[in-house]
Amino acid sequence: MRFGILGETRAWHGDGGEVPLGGPARRALLALLLVRPGEVVSTDRLADEIDPAGARSAHSLQSQVSRLRTALGAGAAIERAGAGYRIVVDPDEVDTSRFERLAGQGRTALADGDAGRAVVLLDEALELWRGPALADLPESQTARAAAVRWEERRLGALEDRIEAALRLGEHGAVVPELRELVGCHPLRERLAGLLMRALFAEGGQAEALVVFEETRRHLADELGADPSAELTALHRELLSADPTPSPAAPPAQLTSFVGRADEVAEVVEVLRVARLVTLIGPGGVGKTRLSVEVAGVGGAAGRVCFVELAPLGDGAGLPHALLGALGLRENGLQMDGGAKAPVDRLIAALSDQVLLLVLDNCEHLVDEVAGLAARLLAACPRLRVLATSREPLGIIGEHLFPVRPLDEDAAVRLFTERAGAVRRGFTADPEVVRRICAALDDLPLAIELAAARSRTLDIDDLAGRLDDLLAVGARGNRTADERHRTLRSVVAWSWDLLSEPEQRAARRFTVFAGGATARSALGVCGTDGETLEALADKSLLEVAGGRYRMLETIRAYGAERLDAAGEGESVRRAHAQRLLELMRTADPHLRRAEQLEWLPVVAAEHGDLLAALRWAVEEPAVETAFELLAAAFNYLWIRGASASVAPLAIALLAAVGEAVPDGFGEEYATCVLLAGAASASASASASASASASASASGDAGGQVWQRHRATAGKALAAAWPGDRSGRYPVVLLLWMMRNAGGPDPWGAFALVSSQCDCPEPWARAAAHYVSGFGHLGQRDPTAAEDAFGQALEGFRSLGDRWGIALALDTLAGVAGARGDRTRAVALTDEALVLTEQLGALEDSADLLVNRGDQLAGDDAAGARNAYADAAALARRAGSSTYLAAALRGLGDIALEEGDLAEAERLYSEALERIDPHWIKSLGPRVRALVGLGRVAAARSHRTEAREHYRQAAEVADTVRAHAPEVLRMLGLSEKAMESVLEAVAA
C-alpha cells in the first residue's frame, strides 16, 4: 500500500486503486500518524489536533482509529502503544519519505556533475507533490511544523532541478518558472542567483542585474541585511561580462570542404603575422568558401565578423554594411543629431577588440574597401582583415594570397562527391572525371555546375558535351582571363540546359540582392516551388536557413539574361512591391509586443530594401519610393539604420523638389526626416574619394533639412489633424525629437502634443509623452508625471518596448528630481531591460549614466559601477557622446573621493569626446566644465576655476534659449542648472 500526505491525504492499494478513507477526521488521523511513520503519537495530541475545539473524546478517537483500520485492511497496521497509537508501514511507502530519498539522490547526482540523472531523480521527487503538505490538517501545530520543513525541502529540490536544467543548457525553459518563484520568495537568494544566470545566458545582462538590485533592496528593507557573498560575487561576474553584440557569422555551408586543407593552414599562418590578407582569383575559384573555412580556424583567437559586400550597389553603403554586420546601430533611440559618422563609430567600437573582419566580394568596391580597411587597421591595432577580391586592394601592408584552381585529385573528388549527392550510387571512370575537370580548368564552381548535370546526363555524354563546348585541346597553364571565359561558358551552358520556366525563374531571381524566402521568390519570380527546387538541384540556387540565394557569378550572368529578356523594369517593380508589402505588414507589429519576432524578419531583407529603394529612386518610381521609406521608417528607427537610406532620401527629394505629391504628405515628411540623418553622420568616411562623397551627402542632408523642414511640417500636420489618424505614428515622435534643437521646437511640440485624443493608440501615447515635457517646462512635475504615466500605460498596452523605455526614463527623471531615488533607479532598471532586448547599446549606456546619477548621492560604489558599465557599452557601440557622459560621471566620483588628478583627466577626456554642436551634449558639457572648475578651485587656481565656470555659464545660456519642455531631453536637470549658477555666483 502507498500513502500520500503531500497534498490531500490519500492511500492506494498495490494495484493503484484508491482506498476510501472516509471523512475529514479519519484523513486527519492518518496524516498525523504518517508524519513520522512508526513513531507513537499520544492520544491527547491526536484528539487535540484532529479537533482543536476539544470536542472529540477518547472514545470517539478510538472509534475513528477502528474505522481507519477497517478501511486500510491488511495494507497497514495501526497499533496501540502505551498512551498513543502508531502506524506500522515501510517508510518508502509514504510519499514524504520517497520524496526525501529521491531529492537527496538528485542533489548527490548534481554534486557529482551528472546533471541529466539529477533532472530525472528530482522530477520524480517533485511529481509526488499534489498540493500543500498535510492539507487535511490546516489547524494542527504538528502539521504546520512538518509542512514548513517539507516545503523548504521542496524549494531546495526545485532549486536543484533548475540548476541541473541550467547545466544542460535549458536556460529559456526555466526563466518563467524562476520569475514566479522569485516573486513568491523574494528573499531566497539562491533562486535570485539562478534567475540571474538564466537571464544572462539568454542575453539578458541588464535584466539579470535588475534581479540583483531588487533582491538587494528586499533584503535591506525586510531583514536589514546585505546580499550573501555568493550572490555578490555573481553580480560582479555579470557586471564584468562583455556585452558586445554578436557579429555576423560566416554563412552556413551545406556541403563538405574538399581539397584546400593546406591552403587554409597557410592563410591562417599568414594572418598570424599579417593584418590584411587578400584572397585573389577569378570568379568561381573558391575564394569565398576558403575565407569561410579560414574564419572557422583563424578566428578562434578572437571573434569573427563576416560581411558580404556583393549586395552593395555602391561604396556609400560600405560603412553602414559593416555596422550592420557587427550588430551595431547607426543612431540611438532618440535619432539624435549627435550621431557620429559610421566610420568613426566603427573605429570606436573596434579600437580594443580582437576581431577577424572578413570582407567578401570586394572587386566592385575596391577603392572604397581599400580606404576603409586602411583606416580601420591604422586605428584598431587588434583588428585583422581577410578580404576576397578578383584584384588586390593595393594598400600598404596587404599580403596577397592567390587562390588557384583545385589540384587534380581534389577536383576529381569534388566532382564525385557532388555527383553522388544528386545521383545515388554514382560511379564513373576516374579518367573520364579527370578529363571533365581538366576541361573545366579545375574551377570549383564549374565542377559543381557540371556535376549537378550528372543527375540526367550519362558521364560520357557530359564529357563529350563539355569537350565540344570548350574546344578542349592541350590546355596547359591557363591565365585568369581564360579561366573566367571557361566559367562563363559553363554557366551559360548550364543556363541553356534549363527549361523555359526554370530560366525565367532564375533570371528574375537576380533582382534579390540578399537572397529571398520561398514566398518572396515565388511572388516576384512568378514561379512555383518545384521550379525553385529544380534550380537548387542544378546548383543555380543555394538553400540555407529558409532562404534561397544565388552565387554572385551566376547572378551576374542571370542579370544580363533578365535585361536581354526585356523584363528588368517589370521584375524590379514587382520586387519593390514585394518589399513594400512586407514593410507595410511589419510596421504595426514593430509597434507592439511582437516586435522582437518581427525585427529579424525585416532585418533579413535590409539589403533588398536598399536595392528596391535604389531602383525606385533611379527609375524614378516616386510614389513607390516615398511609400517604401515611410513603411520602413519604424524598422529603420528601431534598428538604428536611418543613415543608410539618407542618400536615397536626398536624391528622391531632389527629384521632386518642394512640391508635396498629392496624398503623400506624411511620406514626404518622413523622407525629409531621413534625408536629414545624413548631415549627422558624414564628417568622416572610408577613403579620399568616399570622403568627398560622404561630406557632400552630409552637406546635402543639412541643406535638404533646412530647405524642406517647414514644408514637411505643414504636410505632417495636415496628415495628423488630431481628429483622425495618419498612417505612420512613429514619424510624429521622431519629428519632435529632430526639431527639439531647431529654430521652432514649439511647432513640433504643438503638433505632437495635440494628438492626445486621436484614434491611433501609439500616437496617443506619444502625445502624452511629449506633453509631459510641456508640464516640466511650466514647473508642474505632478502633471508631468501624470502625462508620462499615461504614455507608459499606452505603450505598455501595445507592448512597444521603445515607447515603454522612453516613458520609464522620463518617469525616472521626475522621481529623481523629487528625491525618490529608489523609484528612479527601479524605473531606470526596467528601461534598461527593454533597451537591452532591442540591442540598443548606446541607449543602454545613456540609461546607465542616469542610473549612476541617481545613485551618486547615496551609493558611490553603485554609481561607479553604473558609470563604468555605461562607458564599456558606449565604447562597444562606438558612441563617443555617451562615453563622454559616463566619463563625466566617473569624474564626479573621483572628485568626491579627493582624487583631483583622476577627476581632471576624466573631465578633460569627456570634453574632448563631446560634440559641442549637439543639443543633448549640453548637459554633460556643463557638468564636466563645472567639475573642472571645482578641481581648479580645490587647488586654489582661482583664475582657472573662474574660466571653467564662465564657459559653463555660456553653455547654460544656450540651454535657456531652448524651449523648456525639451530641457529633460537635453539631459540637463534642474539640479545641474542650479550647480552652474551656484558656481558662477561663487
Side-chain angles (χ1 to χ4, degrees), residues 635-846:
Y635 153 71
L636 293 168
W637 175 45
I638 294 176
R639 194 178 181 221
S642 303
S644 64
V645 302
L648 295 168
I650 292 171
L652 180 59
L653 289 170
V656 301
E658 297 181 40
V660 180
D662 289 343
F664 288 87
E666 193 173 6
E667 290 82 354
Y668 178 89
T670 305
C671 188
V672 173
L673 263 179
L674 290 169
S679 61
S681 59
S683 60
S685 62
S687 64
S689 60
S691 178
S693 173
S695 177
S697 176
D699 291 344
Q703 294 169 7
V704 165
W705 173 252
Q706 295 301 326
R707 183 166 64 252
H708 294 269
R709 183 188 62 79
T711 303
K714 293 177 182 176
L716 192 60
W720 289 87
D723 57 346
R724 65 180 188 275
S725 303
R727 292 181 289 273
Y728 304 106
V730 175
V731 178
L732 285 170
L733 182 56
L734 272 293
W735 183 259
M736 175 66 221
M737 291 180 177
R738 186 66 174 84
N739 281 277
D744 182 25
W746 290 100
F749 174 82
L751 169 61
V752 182
S753 59
S754 68
Q755 305 298 323
C756 287
D757 297 319
C758 91
E760 211 291 320
W762 200 98
R764 285 200 307 273
H768 287 299
Y769 171 74
V770 170
S771 65
F773 295 109
H775 296 303
L776 285 181
Q778 296 164 9
R779 299 182 179 276
D780 188 349
T782 301
E785 188 168 27
D786 180 66
F788 293 140
Q790 290 184 68
L792 177 61
E793 183 180 346
F795 288 131
R796 277 198 198 282
S797 69
L798 295 168
D800 178 26
R801 293 164 181 81
W802 273 139
I804 296 170
L806 285 171
L808 287 169
D809 186 29
T810 50
L811 283 168
V814 174
R818 68 163 182 262
D820 189 350
R821 294 186 176 184
T822 299
R823 174 170 168 75
V825 170
L827 291 167
T828 300
D829 285 345
E830 188 178 349
L832 269 168
V833 171
L834 300 171
T835 55
E836 182 188 72
Q837 289 175 352
L838 290 161
L841 292 187
E842 61 189 303
D843 296 301
S844 295
D846 187 23

Side-chain angles (χ1 to χ4, degrees), residues 242-285:
D242 184 0
T244 308
S246 299
Q253 302 302 306
L254 305 180
T255 55
S256 60
F257 184 60
V258 176
R260 295 200 190 274
D262 291 342
E263 286 96 325
V264 170
E266 190 175 347
V267 175
V268 168
E269 189 59 35
V270 174
L271 278 168
R272 296 188 195 282
V273 295
R275 296 182 57 220
L276 171 61
V277 177
T278 303
L279 307 179
I280 60 170
V285 78

